[in-house]
Amino acid sequence: MCVASGLNTKVLLLVLFQKYGAKVKEIDPVASHTSGMENFPWTRLAAVVFLPKRKSAVDVAKQHSMSPERVREYTRDGDFASYYERPDEEMLALWRTGVEETRNIIANDWA
């Protein structure tokens, strides 16, 4: 929480939400940074076809000793280990979980 000029601001990071994070892990136990968990039906580009295989895992510990340029080379597209596209049913369940948890925080835990 940040207090400035009498205003309170709260930044919500969906990936840190308990229920949302649990839902992500339920769908894909190894999902990580920029996994297909951002691939909602309404964010997809027409005519883009993803490979139906999981990307190889990235050694996150190894990255800590790398320069930012080397990390970009190493991870290539920023995905750490996932499928690039998930079934709509999974994505919609994840969306509903995120919306529900966000609404709960706004209604009950905004102070």
Side-chain angles (χ1 to χ4, degrees), residues 26-47:
E26 174 188 318
I27 292 170
D28 186 350
V30 298
S32 183
H33 189 265
T34 69
S35 66
M37 297 303 161
E38 290 102 4
N39 191 266
F40 295 102
W42 53 89
T43 63
R44 296 181 190 139
L45 300 174

Side-chain angles (χ1 to χ4, degrees), residues 11-62:
V11 177
L12 301 177
L13 299 173
L14 210 66
V15 295
L16 300 178
F17 287 7
Q18 289 180 354
K19 290 179 184 175
Y20 185 85
K23 190 68 171 175
V24 166
K25 293 302 180 188
E26 174 188 318
I27 292 170
D28 186 350
V30 298
S32 183
H33 189 265
T34 69
S35 66
M37 297 303 161
E38 290 102 4
N39 191 266
F40 295 102
W42 53 89
T43 63
R44 296 181 190 139
L45 300 174
V48 174
V49 178
F50 292 103
L51 296 173
K53 65 179 187 173
R54 181 182 294 280
K55 181 181 175 184
S56 302
V58 169
D59 184 343
V60 177
K62 183 177 177 180

Side-chain angles (χ1 to χ4, degrees), residues 48-99:
V48 174
V49 178
F50 292 103
L51 296 173
K53 65 179 187 173
R54 181 182 294 280
K55 181 181 175 184
S56 302
V58 169
D59 184 343
V60 177
K62 183 177 177 180
Q63 288 185 174
H64 293 292
S65 63
M66 297 178 181
S67 68
E69 294 78 17
R70 181 66 188 108
V71 169
R72 281 192 291 276
E73 284 176 21
Y74 178 61
T75 60
R76 295 183 314 265
D77 59 5
D79 188 310
F80 287 9
S82 69
Y83 293 96
Y84 289 96
E85 186 173 22
R86 310 284 323 177
D88 287 352
E89 301 78 35
E90 292 176 352
M91 296 309 300
L92 295 173
L94 185 61
W95 179 260
R96 285 190 296 273
T97 301
V99 168

